[in-house]
Amino acid sequence: MMTCGIADLARAQTTQPAPKAAPKSAAPAANTAAKSAAKPESKPAAPPAAVAGGAEPTLIGQFGTWGAYSATPNGKKVCFALAKPSSSKTNPPNRPRDPAYAFVSTRPAEKVNNEVSVMIGYALKPGSESSVEVGGAAFAMYTQGDGLWIKNAAEEERMVEAMRKSAELVVKGVSAKGTETTDTFSLKGLAQALDKIAQDCRR
């Protein structure tokens, strides 16, 4: 169900690793999130008020393909925009995988604003780097488990601005088994979703 998957993914957003200083707990959290989201619904479901172990995220707005959510795991507010890819390809073709998700997260308690991450839906090749292409620019991504984060944090603001203005985001990765993947995310509605979570997380 999309509801449970989003809840786990929201909690995973609070444990993102930093390049070259990644906590071991981040990868299991990301893997659990991807497995829980294996069969998402086509439209966001209204999450229940709370689940054991943490607050359920609340859908605060849907803008194109991007949903804006807020949650309070462990008493700390987190807001994020989330989308599924509009198209996905594997090479060799038709290799099985869990769904991919792109996030832009804000965590005020950690002074994190508009952090871009991708849960790619499979275990990435250890030590590999992936890339994200948006607005004619390519950004190197640090990988751990099934998660991707921008390698050079100084480029993140430029990346987010490019995402606001561009039509699509293309994510490329290589699995632990050597399968190459390309996921394309529509960016329609992202700018409005980011404005919504910025407004909500100021409260």
Side-chain angles (χ1 to χ4, degrees), residues 33-54:
K35 290 176 182 177
S36 298
K39 295 182 179 179
E41 297 172 359
S42 58
K43 295 182 180 180
V51 294

Side-chain angles (χ1 to χ4, degrees), residues 130-141 150 155 158-159 162 170:
S130 295
S131 68
V132 165
E133 298 173 6
V134 59
F139 298 88
M141 302 294 283
I150 193 164
E155 293 186 336
R158 182 167 68 91
M159 181 180 177
V170 179

Side-chain angles (χ1 to χ4, degrees), residues 89-91 97 120 122 171-174 179-183:
K89 297 179 181 178
T90 65
N91 182 24
R97 59 184 291 202
I120 205 163
Y122 59 81
V171 181
K172 296 182 179 181
V174 180
T179 300
E180 299 175 353
T181 64
T182 301
D183 295 297

Side-chain angles (χ1 to χ4, degrees), residues 77-100:
K77 190 163 189 177
V78 55
C79 302
F80 59 94
L82 172 151
K84 296 183 292 184
S86 54
S87 68
S88 297
K89 297 179 181 178
T90 65
N91 182 24
N94 303 318
R95 289 296 178 92
R97 59 184 291 202
D98 289 335

Side-chain angles (χ1 to χ4, degrees), residues 66 133-137 139 158-170 185-191:
W66 289 82
E133 298 173 6
V134 59
F139 298 88
R158 182 167 68 91
M159 181 180 177
V160 172
E161 283 305 307
M163 290 171 66
R164 279 179 170 271
K165 299 173 183 177
S166 302
E168 63 183 28
L169 176 81
V170 179
F185 294 84
S186 169
L187 296 174
K188 182 179 180 180
L190 173 64

